[in-house]
Amino acid sequence: MYHAREELQLDRIEVAAFERVFLSVICDLPKDKGLKAVIVGLGYVGLPLAVAAAESGISVVGLDRNETIVKGLNAGVSHIDDLTNSDIAKLLENGFKATTDPSCISETDVVVICVPTPLDGSGQPDLKAVMGASRDIAEFAHDGLTVVLESTTYPGTTEEILKPLLEASGRVVGKDIFLAFSPERIDPGNPTYGIKNTPKIVGGATQACGDKAVAFYEQFIETVVRAKGTREAETAKLLENTYRHINIALVNEMAQFAHAMDIDIWNVVELAKTKPFGFQSFSPSAGVGGHCIPIDPNYLAYKVRAELERPFRFVELAEEINHSMPPYVARRVQDLLNAQSKAVNGSRVLLLGVTYKANISDKRESPAVPLGQRLLDMGAILSYFDPHVPTWSVNGVEVPPAVNLTSALSDSDVVVLVQPHKEFVEASEQISTSTTVILDTTGKFTGANIERL
């Protein structure tokens, strides 16, 4: 392929077109509307993937065990932030349908697994959803089927767990059936980078497996990057999020030290950002959230301990520091109340923004939960205001929502700004002139009544 590129001296656009045609031919994957794909798991990863694939002309079926999600999608209702009901209507117009029946796999060319990979109660990787999806695929597999795992997991999962399950039917991976890993890179709420313009890493269990997966993704993703193998692709995803996890922990610990030494950490970060090389900015926060940063590095640490019998010290230290942030924020709330001659016990504490990041409704692993739990344990009368979250609970305890921002501010003894939703930024004057003391963990607000983390 690369010799052809040199000999023909094609420009980049012609090369991309040439490679797509070349891979489609050698991999025997139907092009455009002839290609069928099943996306297993219709959440924040699987549903945007289904939309992008369907827009390219691929015939897409969405498979999910949640009947409510399936019924909602078939009725044109979106359940994730990045896609509107209008987007789902267009998806249905492109021939998409959702189902709970795995037999649809028997009629498809490609299956992409996008199911959750959480940690279990003991902090170990929980691959039950991945294994369940793999068994469904194995039951309805057929010769020529390409299977791609996108769910984040520890190195070796694709070939150590999926491969044996798929080959239990007597088919050989790389010959009769094709297997690859391609890490998801979804960033909910990101207005710039989505499925199509975010480079896609693909690692095949064999060369032929990689060829098949590349041919699939190149039909609707601008840049596909070939990995040496599945383990390299799996580890690349973990490196991306471990890098962020460690650097967030670094600045969170510095924030604690800076406050104790009367240093403005936010000014420190802004000053460091002026260096045009060798520095990437990370900001302090109330703690990390979402599926990726609090979860993914633990998959790598688990594999290192299991296979090498040694700790991944950077990851474990970062985990310790980032987990310490909600209790630290609670102590700062206590200090602010003490300055008013009030105890936490019986004081009205309001949390502004309880999602894991700004401008979305996703509450997965939100630091607001452990923060809320610590404040409740200290006897606070807890409430919250979040225009993206109609109801919210802390470990099963319902937390009452404030009616609006004005009453939320006036009815509280202290406010903790957890996420800088655009609604709060737009109301910055109201927030910064409130008579209520506000602890801003986001560094976005200034005012006589505001103390920043």
Side-chain angles (χ1 to χ4, degrees):
M1 189 186 307
Y2 298 101
H3 292 301
R5 183 181 301 180
E6 294 168 4
E7 291 170 8
L8 295 175
Q9 307 226 327
L10 302 171
D11 63 27
R12 290 183 65 185
I13 296 175
E14 290 172 327
V15 168
F18 172 78
E19 289 182 346
R20 279 195 295 271
V21 173
F22 182 76
L23 282 171
S24 295
V25 171
I26 65 170
C27 297
D28 296 325
L29 277 179
K31 293 171 59 183
D32 301 322
K33 291 187 179 297
L35 180 62
K36 298 178 182 179
V38 170
I39 311 297
V40 184
L42 300 174
Y44 282 85
V45 175
L47 195 54
L49 181 68
V51 168
E55 285 178 350
S56 74
I58 296 171
S59 177
V60 180
V61 173
L63 177 60
D64 200 294
R65 292 185 175 183
N66 188 316
E67 291 187 3
T68 301
I69 287 176
V70 167
K71 289 179 181 177
L73 290 173
N74 286 332
V77 178
S78 175
H79 60 283
I80 69 172
D81 294 293
D82 288 350
L83 296 172
T84 65
N85 289 348
S86 211
D87 293 323
I88 302 304
K90 292 177 183 175
L91 178 62
L92 294 171
E93 289 173 6
N94 285 327
F96 172 85
K97 67 176 182 178
T99 182
T100 59
D101 183 4
S103 66
C104 61
I105 294 166
S106 63
E107 300 176 354
T108 195
D109 303 298
V110 180
V111 180
V112 185
I113 303 172
C114 303
V115 297
T117 48
L119 300 176
D120 64 20
S122 62
Q124 303 299 308
D126 182 353
L127 298 181
K128 287 196 291 290
V130 170
M131 295 177 71
S134 300
R135 292 189 182 100
D136 285 341
I137 294 167
E139 181 180 354
F140 296 100
H142 52 83
D143 288 353
L145 180 67
T146 298
V147 180
V148 184
L149 176 63
E150 285 207 7
S151 305
T152 305
T153 184
Y154 56 77
T157 300
T158 305
E159 295 188 44
E160 294 169 11
I161 293 180
L162 271 69
K163 185 172 180 283
L165 288 172
L166 295 175
E167 290 187 333
S169 63
R171 295 181 177 87
V172 177
V173 166
K175 180 182 177 183
D176 308 308
I177 195 168
F178 303 91
L179 177 64
F181 181 82
S182 180
E184 61 88 4
R185 282 174 160 174
I186 296 293
D187 184 19
N190 191 320
T192 304
Y193 291 103
I195 287 282
K196 294 181 180 180
N197 65 347
T198 300
K200 197 84 171 83
I201 294 172
V202 174
T206 67
Q207 179 70 28
C209 291
D211 290 342
K212 288 273 192 177
V214 167
F216 168 66
Y217 285 115
E218 282 196 333
Q219 297 198 38
F220 58 95
I221 292 178
E222 293 173 8
T223 304
V224 178
V225 182
R226 189 71 174 260
K228 182 178 179 180
T230 60
R231 294 170 69 89
E232 287 75 17
E234 290 162 338
T235 309
K237 170 65 175 180
L238 298 178
L239 174 60
E240 294 169 15
N241 287 331
T242 299
Y243 169 82
R244 295 168 66 200
H245 189 47
I246 289 171
N247 281 281
I248 290 169
L250 170 64
V251 77
N252 275 338
E253 189 167 35
M254 286 193 71
Q256 296 184 33
F257 294 156
H259 176 70
M261 294 187 287
D262 196 26
I263 297 170
D264 185 342
I265 187 62
W266 302 97
N267 184 234
V268 170
V269 171
E270 289 302 313
L271 293 171
K273 283 167 62 175
T274 63
K275 185 178 181 181
F277 56 89
F279 180 80
Q280 181 176 355
S281 174
F282 289 83
S283 298
S285 64
V288 295
H291 176 74
C292 292
I293 298 176
I295 304 295
D296 296 353
N298 290 285
Y299 272 71
L300 188 52
Y302 163 83
K303 187 64 173 179
V304 169
R305 277 193 176 274
E307 196 162 296
L308 304 180
E309 297 182 348
R310 56 171 289 184
F312 194 159
R313 289 179 290 172
F314 264 121
V315 168
E316 294 180 8
L317 180 58
E319 185 80 2
E320 177 187 333
I321 293 169
N322 286 331
H323 272 295
S324 76
M325 289 308 292
Y328 173 74
V329 172
R331 288 197 301 274
R332 293 283 296 274
V333 169
Q334 185 177 33
D335 292 342
L336 290 174
L337 288 168
N338 283 341
Q340 302 175 53
S341 300
K342 296 178 181 178
V344 178
N345 190 5
S347 291
R348 298 162 299 175
V349 180
L350 171 76
L351 303 186
L352 289 182
V354 294
T355 56
Y356 86 82
K357 65 181 291 189
N359 304 319
I360 64 172
S361 63
D362 193 346
K363 305 184 296 295
R364 291 177 298 171
E365 309 297 328
S366 170
V369 172
L371 171 59
Q373 185 63 65
R374 180 58 64 99
L375 291 168
L376 288 172
D377 291 343
M378 296 168 74
I381 301 171
L382 191 66
S383 62
Y384 83 99
F385 180 71
D386 192 320
H388 300 268
V389 181
T391 62
W392 184 60
S393 62
V394 173
N395 298 325
V397 177
E398 291 291 326
V399 178
V403 177
N404 55 56
L405 184 58
T406 301
S407 63
L409 294 172
S410 62
D411 293 342
S412 304
D413 294 305
V414 67
V415 174
V416 183
L417 226 160
V418 182
Q419 296 298 345
H421 292 319
K422 64 182 180 186
E423 292 87 351
F424 302 153
V425 174
E426 291 168 356
S428 58
E429 183 176 353
Q430 180 184 1
I431 290 172
S432 62
T433 57
S434 169
T435 57
T436 304
V437 176
I438 297 173
L439 176 61
D440 176 19
T441 70
T442 73
K444 301 291 186 183
F445 301 84
T446 58
N449 65 320
I450 292 175
E451 178 168 326
R452 297 205 285 184
L453 191 64

